[in-house]
Amino acid sequence: MRHETLAGQPRIPTEVSAMTAASLNVKPAYLKIANVWKAFGDFHALKDISLDIREGEFVCFLGPSGCGKTTLLRAVAGLDLQTRGSIHQGGKDVSALPPSQRDYGIVFQSYALFPNLTIAKNIAFGLENTKRPRAEIDSRVTELLKLVGLADQGNKYPAQLSGGQQQRIALARAIAISPGLLLLDEPLSALDAKVRTHLRHEIKELQRKLGVTTIMVTHDQEEALSMADRIVVMNHGVIEQIGTPTEIYRHPATLFVADFIGEANKFEAKAANGAAVGFGAASFSCTQHGFDDGAPVIAAIRPEDVIPHAINSLANGAATNTIDVTISEMEFLGSFWRTRLHGHALGNETLIADFSINAARRLSLTEGVQLTVELPAERLLIYPRGA
Amino acid sequence: MAMTIDTALPVGRALRLRLDRDELIKRGLMVVIALYLVVALAAPLAIMLSKSFSTYSFDLARFEFQVSDKDGNWSKPTTAEALNKALNAVPPAKLGTNSDGRLQATSFFPDFSFRSPVKYKIRGTTTDAAYLVGLKLQSGTKWQELTSNDFRRVMLRPSRALGLENYVAYFSTPTLFRSIENSVFIAFISTIVTVGLAFGFAYALNRSCMRFKDAFKLVAMVPILVPSLLPGIALIYLFGNQGLLKDLLMGVPIYGPLGIVVGSVFFAFPHAMLIISTALAISDQRHYEAAASLRASSWRTFWTVTIPGARYGLISAAFVVFTLVITDFGLPKVIGGQYNVLAVDIYKQVIGQQNFEMGAVVSVILLVPAIAAFIVDRMVTKKQVALLSARSVPYQPNPNRGFDTLCFAWCSLVAIFILGIMVTSQFAALVKLWPYDLSLSLKHFAFDRMDGGGWGSYYNSIRLAALTAVIGTVIIFVGAYMVEKTDGFRSGRTAFQFLAMLPMAVPGMVLGLAYIFFFNDPANPLHAIYGTMTILVVCTITHFYTVGHLTALTALKQIDQEFEPVAASLKQPFYKLFARVTVPVCLPAILDISIYMFVNAMTTVSAVVFLYSKDTTLASVAVLNMDDAGDVAPAAAMAMMIFYTNAAARLIHMFLSKALIKRTQAWRMR
Ligand SMILES: Nc1ncnc2c1ncn2[C@@H]1O[C@H](COP(=O)(O)OP(=O)(O)OP(=O)(O)O)[C@@H](O)[C@H]1O
Ligand SMILES: [Mg+2]
């Protein structure tokens, strides 16, 4: 898998890779993107992108602004042809085909609803020239309107609907022709937070019901984590990692992914004897990392993976991967406490840790309190450092 | 990690999109319209340019003669050059001529008699040496034997050479090149006066709380509806030799620079006012609030906020007015008197002296300021568009008694000027015999009794305007759609865009003359349209192409860019999207383009004055010709007919637009 070669280290726990490999074999790739490049003059917006998407899968392209998500989507749609590389859809080479000869429905951020046509006519637009009888078109439109929950609004114009409703009409129009592939370019970004959460769920439901292979572009990690079967994390025109939301979150293949998705403490460290790192004044064991002894690395850990213990409560033998720290700040964030920890072993660095309300009460945590924290070996993420 | 695979782009060719039927149709249509513009614009201009560098002279070395005696013994071949040297029959100065020149072959045979039994032979020494026998054009190096009677009708034709002689001749003729100075002087003064008046007017409309704003706006637009000849005629009625107010001028004649400037201000005013008003309307309230919070005086605010904010509008207006005035032909023709300007020179050279090459030279000279102004205007307009796109809060004026009164006075003065001209013209059309018998009659509207084509001209004009409006709008809008909504084909689109912008830089007189050169050439397969209504329609559409094109582009740019991709993904052809969505959404702009074409086709004189025939006389040209023939009152009456027609067209346009907006309110609501 790509992320293994990317990191240069076979770091993913074996059972995860095995599972992914097994599920890969279930269905052949429906969309096969191979070695795609996109050049705008001297600037390369996509660099050697390869990616397989299985039939019925919901895939999100996730990444910061300008990373090339839209560019990749438009290449798949045939709207902005890639400079090099091939794209196969359903076994057919569509690399150089114009949009009209590909098989997809698309929803843009602007929705692109035809303002002078009623909603019903918007949805019917793609159904019309196919020698279908009028009655059949009408019943299909009614069905689609019902599907997106706007059954009685067919005679309104787009301008008379709310943003969320327009978005659903755009979706209905795109799926009206039963395309093999559904492309969504930041479909929710123009909506306010509440409508967004609601529609997220709805789109996912709809996709599951129709079983249509779907690619959604987003820069909102929550959206990607909650909707996607698999996430493609991109940065600067390359794929950083491909994986299920849990894979991506639990085992970020690169420091960028660890940083971009969720939060992570990062410490400059040195690798030691195959499965340990040293930073500050302490040494920690971790999973097999394969770096040479003394190689500069970054050790990272997510705030919620830090486990609190009462000071001196651990038996001497059990005290691996623990350090003693003092709470210098505590902030209540509703469902948990966010703390900033300092300690001799950390040097000048700060460790940010999230503790459950329960744990905080059990250990009577307040600012100034000393405690022991454990950085579990299997939760320590090790990445190469330097040039 | 990025660095591990950040290798270079693999060598090879960039992938190219396979074209679908839609894309091919779009490109095909774009090419067709581009070809139209090449034939109707680029090719004629190129021919005209080459004509301006063409000189014609009789090259006597190219012709050889033989003469027989009574018994049929032929003399030795002799060139015309040798004969001329011996006889000095045609002095060297007479050998220069124009493209139409002819030289009788018998000039070289002093004892020629058409009754003599002597026979003659003629041939060219080069293959392109041409001569006429009667009406038949001959050329080539084969000897041709002719009886004396036929030889009498042999005419040598000049040969063409490329060179700067025409320009040399132009600049060594003071009566000709002084026109440059005159034209620039007139345009310069008119620009200053017009922009000054228009700025005050626009300022009052945008920044004061005076009353009757709508009425003032309406009056300001009136000059657009009439030919530029009309203010000339009205000024002659007021200040001419028998003018009512002649004494006001204290001896300064209205014929000449004064008349031209005043008339130019009249017809250029609305254009300047619209541009400046737009520039003022987009200025930002927040700047004024900032200035007020800094306690800047109104005078300082004016110079530090208002003027810089409107500067692109002012520059743009100045160049537009300058171009309009320097290229206008009708007004100086009517009121210029002995004061020569470039546009009228072209007319005089072509119509008066049949010197087409010199006409071409003047045209090229007139192109220079027009193109320069055009380029500056485009640069400035781009900058202003950039200003526009920043979201700004429109300025809301507060009532201020003194200032509002001042504004009202200013606008009233301008309105009185415009209405004064209109009323005078109307009056001139209706009174029996100015200034002796001021009783009213309709006798001047009996155009059929005058030269100029009578009522037929008027109907021809309506036909021209209607055809131009319908066909022109279709061509322009479809062309603009193809450029705006086609992907790829970058070079093709750039070329098209250039062709579409070019007409703006080409003065009407220049276009008209270029059409003569191009279409009145029997070798041109399109020669058949010369002298027909078709050429007038083609010429008028081309002449006014650019503004329509820009209007269409603006409307198309406001449409979501994603409509085409969506339609393609739904497997719908582009023309379905075009008919069902693009056209309905752009209908207001389409109506604007067609009324613009209609009004201009009614009033234009400059291009068509070279191209009308006796079957296609036009109302605007009739105004010119009747005025020329001294029938000034009927000329005024015809000019008013054009005004009534345009006013009616505008009313219909307004009515249609209102109805349209009302009908489409449901979906336009945002
Ligand atoms: N037509 C173009 N010409 C030149 N550069 C372009 C063009 N289109 C995109 N780019 C560049 O390519 C890069 C990727 O653009 P893209 O639109 O794919 O980003 P994105 O990941 O969708 O970002 P966002 O989240 O902001 O939409 C950007 O750096 C952008 O500036
Ligand atoms: Mg994007």
Side-chain angles (χ1 to χ4, degrees):
Chain A
M1 276 187 61
R2 159 123 290 150
H3 54 266
E4 291 166 354
T5 51
L6 284 183
Q9 316 298 334
R11 265 192 54 271
I12 301 297
T14 42
E15 81 277 4
V16 176
S17 328
M19 183 195 78
T20 317
S23 55
L24 255 178
N25 292 333
V26 173
K27 277 179 184 171
Y30 174 70
L31 189 75
K32 204 170 174 58
I33 300 172
N35 308 103
V36 162
W37 290 74
K38 175 73 188 182
F40 292 112
D42 283 343
F43 174 74
H44 296 163
L46 295 177
K47 298 170 200 158
D48 202 24
I49 300 281
S50 294
L51 168 69
D52 288 354
I53 295 175
R54 296 186 294 277
E55 189 153 4
E57 205 175 10
F58 193 124
V59 169
C60 275
F61 293 171
L62 176 64
S65 187
C67 70
K69 312 176 292 279
T70 301
T71 308
L72 184 55
L73 191 83
R74 291 179 71 88
V76 171
L79 297 173
D80 265 327
L81 214 60
Q82 69 275 19
T83 317
R84 300 276 193 290
S86 67
I87 298 174
H88 286 75
Q89 183 181 351
K92 183 173 146 201
D93 185 356
V94 298
S95 308
L97 290 187
S100 62
Q101 288 167 19
R102 301 190 187 199
D103 176 21
Y104 65 86
I106 191 163
V107 176
F108 290 102
Q109 191 174 353
S110 66
Y111 315 143
L113 293 175
F114 307 133
N116 62 321
L117 302 183
T118 61
I119 282 154
K121 293 227 172 87
N122 261 284
I123 296 176
F125 196 83
L127 301 168
E128 276 164 356
N129 67 339
T130 44
K131 292 187 201 101
R132 250 180 261 230
R134 190 76 236 172
E136 194 186 317
I137 295 176
D138 287 347
S139 73
R140 175 91 175 120
V141 169
T142 315
E143 178 192 322
L144 284 160
L145 278 170
K146 208 187 290 168
L147 192 66
V148 296
L150 292 167
D152 47 353
Q153 316 264 355
N155 288 324
K156 287 192 178 168
Y157 289 98
Q160 296 165 323
L161 297 188
S162 72
Q165 289 172 322
Q166 292 185 22
Q167 166 27 257
R168 281 184 253 185
I169 299 302
L171 197 62
R173 183 179 63 182
I175 59 177
I177 53 166
S178 312
L181 181 64
L182 182 60
L183 305 177
L184 312 169
D185 188 1
E186 310 228 3
L188 302 175
S189 64
L191 303 171
D192 57 42
K194 214 157 179 185
V195 182
R196 217 154 145 166
T197 326
H198 180 69
L199 266 179
R200 234 187 242 169
H201 181 71
E202 269 191 20
I203 292 179
K204 180 70 195 167
E205 275 301 295
L206 194 65
Q207 190 267 342
R208 213 172 271 152
K209 207 175 335 176
L210 300 171
V212 56
T213 315
T214 303
I215 301 176
M216 182 170 105
V217 162
T218 178
H219 60 250
D220 179 337
Q221 46 158 311
E222 235 183 89
E223 212 166 281
L225 290 170
S226 66
M227 294 173 81
D229 296 328
R230 278 197 305 157
I231 296 176
V232 177
V233 185
M234 297 178 65
N235 189 28
H236 293 309
V238 301
I239 295 181
E240 294 273 338
Q241 186 174 8
I242 307 172
T244 62
T246 38
E247 268 170 25
I248 298 262
Y249 192 84
R250 302 292 289 176
H251 305 288
T254 67
L255 185 61
F256 169 82
V257 177
D259 223 16
F260 185 71
I261 294 173
E263 281 165 284
N265 293 286
K266 286 169 292 179
F267 302 101
E268 292 189 357
K270 277 198 161 50
N273 70 23
V277 291
F279 63 87
S283 174
F284 300 86
S285 57
C286 58
T287 50
Q288 196 71 34
H289 56 57
F291 287 102
D292 293 341
D293 267 7
V297 293
I298 299 270
I301 187 163
R302 297 202 183 279
E304 68 269 27
D305 288 335
V306 177
I307 303 172
H309 300 282
I311 189 100
N312 296 332
S313 68
L314 293 177
N316 260 355
T320 53
N321 279 18
T322 58
I323 49 174
D324 292 346
V325 292
T326 313
I327 300 177
S328 45
E329 259 180 70
M330 254 181 112
E331 189 184 0
F332 185 54
L333 291 180
S335 48
F336 62 88
W337 286 92
R338 164 146 302 181
T339 61
R340 299 170 69 82
L341 310 173
H342 287 99
H344 174 68
L346 292 171
N348 289 329
E349 306 269 3
T350 306
L351 176 66
I352 295 176
D354 294 344
F355 299 137
S356 69
I357 299 169
N358 253 331
R361 191 179 315 125
R362 185 162 43 80
L363 300 171
S364 317
L365 299 182
T366 52
E367 283 175 12
V369 161
Q370 284 204 325
L371 74 162
T372 301
V373 291
E374 180 185 349
L375 313 181
E378 74 280 8
R379 305 300 330 136
L380 262 183
L381 310 165
I382 314 296
Y383 303 103
R385 165 157 65 99
Chain B
M1 202 151 249
M3 54 194 176
T4 54
I5 61 157
D6 192 2
T7 48
L9 188 71
V11 287
R13 279 167 56 91
L15 222 59
R16 306 192 73 166
L17 197 68
R18 222 171 294 161
L19 301 178
D20 57 354
R21 207 179 41 146
D22 267 20
E23 195 61 28
L24 287 175
I25 298 177
K26 279 193 205 173
R27 290 185 186 191
L29 275 171
M30 201 198 307
V31 168
V32 167
I33 296 179
L35 273 181
Y36 166 85
L37 284 170
V38 167
V39 170
L41 182 67
L45 284 177
I47 301 278
M48 190 199 72
L49 199 64
S50 88
K51 286 283 176 185
S52 78
F53 291 105
S54 302
T55 50
Y56 293 86
S57 62
F58 298 107
D59 184 356
L60 298 183
R62 289 187 180 208
F63 300 97
E64 260 185 346
F65 299 105
Q66 274 182 301
V67 193
S68 76
D69 59 18
K70 288 182 207 95
D71 307 325
N73 301 318
W74 291 99
S75 69
K76 269 217 279 213
T78 336
T79 62
E81 192 179 24
L83 290 169
N84 197 36
K85 210 173 253 170
L87 291 167
N88 201 17
V90 187
K94 289 250 168 90
L95 289 175
T97 178
N98 60 27
S99 60
D100 231 22
R102 276 132 220 248
L103 182 60
Q104 195 147 17
T106 53
S107 333
F108 304 108
F109 300 93
D111 41 7
F112 172 82
S113 156
F114 67 92
R115 289 210 191 85
S116 86
V118 170
K119 286 189 170 177
Y120 296 83
K121 276 189 185 172
I122 178 170
R123 68 162 195 169
T125 57
T126 60
T127 46
D128 56 349
Y131 52 91
L132 289 165
V133 181
L135 289 174
K136 236 177 109 199
L137 188 67
Q138 312 269 348
S139 65
T141 53
K142 239 179 91 199
W143 283 109
Q144 212 180 131
E145 194 177 317
L146 299 158
T147 61
S148 318
N149 196 27
D150 284 338
F151 190 65
R152 182 173 59 148
R153 299 192 298 146
V154 170
M155 297 282 180
L156 305 188
R157 297 283 278 127
S159 55
R160 172 168 170 258
L162 287 181
L164 290 168
E165 280 85 352
N166 295 329
Y167 289 87
V168 173
Y170 180 85
F171 284 104
S172 45
T173 316
T175 48
L176 284 175
F177 73 74
R178 197 158 296 144
S179 299
I180 299 180
E181 201 186 313
N182 289 352
S183 276
V184 170
F185 173 74
I186 292 286
F188 186 72
I189 303 285
S190 306
T191 301
I192 291 176
V193 177
T194 310
V195 171
L197 282 176
F199 180 77
F201 200 95
Y203 194 81
L205 285 181
N206 284 287
R207 297 295 160 79
S208 79
C209 291
M210 68 178 183
R211 301 178 45 169
F212 305 119
K213 278 188 189 175
D214 286 340
F216 281 132
K217 268 184 219 165
L218 206 62
V219 171
M221 289 303 114
V222 164
I224 286 186
L225 307 180
V226 302
S228 63
L229 304 153
L230 183 137
I233 293 171
L235 287 173
I236 289 175
Y237 266 86
L238 287 176
F239 302 104
N241 289 335
Q242 299 171 329
L244 277 186
L245 308 174
K246 185 176 176 225
D247 298 338
L248 280 182
L249 297 181
M250 293 181 294
V252 183
I254 193 73
Y255 304 96
L258 180 65
I260 306 179
V261 167
V262 175
S264 296
V265 170
F266 174 86
F267 79 76
F269 179 82
H271 301 275
M273 208 284 284
L274 277 180
I275 294 169
I276 299 172
S277 193
T278 311
L280 286 174
I282 61 170
S283 68
D284 199 329
Q285 167 104 20
R286 286 170 299 190
H287 293 312
Y288 292 88
E289 280 164 1
S293 71
L294 294 171
R295 295 179 196 284
S297 70
S298 345
W299 186 242
R300 254 199 81 190
T301 309
F302 180 82
W303 284 108
T304 54
V305 179
T306 308
I307 292 288
R311 71 179 178 279
Y312 293 133
L314 287 172
I315 296 171
S316 186
F319 279 98
V320 166
V321 172
F322 190 89
T323 316
L324 280 174
V325 174
I326 205 167
T327 58
D328 182 57
F329 157 72
L331 180 66
K333 177 79 180 60
V334 169
I335 207 171
Q338 302 302 311
Y339 194 78
N340 288 333
V341 295
L342 289 171
V344 179
D345 280 352
I346 299 178
Y347 184 77
K348 284 185 185 160
Q349 289 296 330
V350 172
I351 302 292
Q353 312 191 4
Q354 298 282 310
N355 189 345
F356 291 88
E357 284 73 37
M358 196 50 83
V361 170
V362 186
S363 295
V364 172
I365 288 166
L366 187 55
L367 263 177
V368 173
I371 287 182
F374 165 77
I375 290 171
V376 174
D377 179 53
R378 290 314 303 161
M379 283 171 9
V380 167
T381 310
K382 276 212 183 97
K383 291 230 170 93
Q384 190 173 15
V385 170
L387 275 186
L388 229 173
S389 53
R391 273 282 150 88
S392 57
V393 181
Y395 180 83
Q396 291 294 334
N398 294 317
N400 173 335
R401 196 84 183 274
F403 177 68
D404 291 347
T405 312
L406 188 71
C407 286
F408 186 80
W410 184 275
C411 291
S412 302
L413 274 180
V414 174
I416 287 170
F417 167 60
I418 292 172
L419 291 178
I421 297 272
M422 292 308 294
V423 168
T424 307
S425 174
Q426 178 66 81
F427 203 55
L430 287 177
V431 298
K432 268 197 187 131
L433 188 59
W434 182 279
Y436 308 109
D437 179 358
L438 295 185
S439 60
L440 301 182
S441 94
L442 285 176
K443 74 169 190 171
H444 300 310
F445 285 84
F447 301 125
D448 288 337
R449 280 198 257 130
M450 327 279 170
D451 281 346
W455 278 98
S457 315
Y458 175 72
Y459 298 125
N460 281 340
S461 268
I462 301 251
R463 213 147 65 86
L464 172 66
L467 286 170
T468 304
V470 174
I471 300 172
T473 306
V474 171
I475 293 180
I476 289 170
F477 191 77
V478 171
Y481 179 81
M482 297 310 153
V483 208
E484 181 60 25
K485 305 286 178 187
T486 304
D487 289 329
F489 201 32
R490 182 83 58 78
S491 50
R493 278 156 62 202
T494 313
F496 188 98
Q497 191 66 14
F498 174 77
L499 281 174
M501 296 309 295
L502 193 56
M504 183 108 108
V506 178
M509 297 304 284
V510 177
L511 190 65
L513 180 57
Y515 270 44
I516 298 186
F517 286 131
F518 187 69
F519 290 103
N520 194 19
D521 173 0
N524 185 336
L526 294 169
H527 177 64
I529 71 167
Y530 194 74
T532 65
M533 182 55 95
T534 309
I535 197 173
L536 295 178
V537 174
V538 170
C539 176
T540 312
I541 292 174
T542 311
H543 190 178
F544 299 106
Y545 196 97
T546 307
V547 171
H549 179 71
L550 289 176
T551 309
L553 273 191
T554 309
L556 286 167
K557 275 189 204 302
Q558 284 166 357
I559 296 188
D560 198 323
Q561 296 300 326
E562 320 286 16
F563 283 176
E564 275 71 23
V566 164
S569 78
L570 295 173
K571 312 275 177 292
Q572 301 300 314
F574 83 94
Y575 45 82
K576 182 177 161 191
L577 179 73
F578 182 76
R580 296 233 2 233
V581 179
T582 315
V583 169
V585 171
C586 290
L587 214 46
I590 292 174
L591 284 180
D592 285 350
I593 298 172
S594 46
I595 186 72
Y596 171 83
M597 297 302 273
F598 185 94
V599 166
N600 278 296
M602 284 304 292
T603 59
T604 189
V605 188
S606 53
V608 294
V609 74
F610 288 140
L611 301 174
Y612 73 94
S613 66
K614 68 178 191 338
D615 299 326
T616 55
T617 51
L618 297 172
S620 52
V621 178
V623 177
L624 183 80
N625 288 340
M626 289 193 285
D627 175 79
D628 232 19
D631 295 327
V632 184
M638 187 63 102
M640 289 314 286
M641 283 308 299
I642 295 175
F643 170 67
Y644 305 145
T645 311
N646 277 339
R650 277 228 82 114
L651 279 178
I652 294 172
H653 169 255
M654 201 169 73
F655 176 76
L656 278 180
S657 297
K658 282 245 169 76
L660 188 73
I661 302 259
K662 201 164 164 195
R663 213 166 60 90
T664 59
Q665 213 163 16
W667 60 263
R668 282 192 195 277
M669 185 183 71
R670 274 277 153 187

